[in-house]
């Protein structure tokens, strides 16, 4: 995976190179995907979830379920539907 940064620290362009599903049959095709991802603060994500009418959300600051904080490496939202 290659990650490029923009001048806006909330944006990143990510490139993934994947082996094609046919590689086990001797094909050597590579699949390259390019995506731009946007990082947003918790209050923006919470507002988007409210607009989309999600009734509730549980927030974590990492995959070990620590609370969201300034020092937490992630913002993980588990939205109820």
């Amino acid at each position: 995976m290659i990650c490029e940064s923009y001048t806006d620290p909330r944006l990143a362009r990510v490139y993934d190179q994947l082996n094609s599903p046919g590689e086990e049959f001797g094909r050597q095709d590579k699949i390259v995907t390019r995506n731009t991802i946007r990082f947003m603060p918790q209050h923006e994500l919470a507002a988007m979830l409210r607009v989309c009418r999600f009734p509730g959300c549980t927030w974590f600051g990492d995959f070990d379920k620590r609370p969201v904080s300034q020092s937490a490496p992630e913002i993980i939202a588990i939205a109820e539907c």
Side-chain angles (χ1 to χ4, degrees), residues 6 18-20 24 35 48 50 56 62:
Y6 289 92
L18 310 168
N19 294 328
S20 72
E24 64 270 14
N35 300 291
M48 291 177 69
R50 280 192 302 275
D62 204 353

Side-chain angles (χ1 to χ4, degrees), residues 18-56:
L18 310 168
N19 294 328
S20 72
E23 187 170 286
E24 64 270 14
F25 301 109
R27 292 178 49 197
Q28 297 298 316
D29 298 337
K30 299 289 181 190
I31 301 168
V32 178
T33 64
R34 183 181 79 187
N35 300 291
T36 300
I37 55 177
R38 178 177 175 264
F39 299 97
M40 63 181 71
Q42 182 181 3
H43 71 274
E44 282 186 39
L45 183 54
M48 291 177 69
L49 291 170
R50 280 192 302 275
V51 167
C52 293
R53 300 179 187 256
F54 282 92

Side-chain angles (χ1 to χ4, degrees), residues 5-27:
S5 184
Y6 289 92
T7 54
D8 183 342
R10 297 175 302 165
L11 298 176
R13 184 171 287 155
V14 179
Y15 298 88
D16 283 322
Q17 182 170 315
L18 310 168
N19 294 328
S20 72
E23 187 170 286
E24 64 270 14
F25 301 109
R27 292 178 49 197

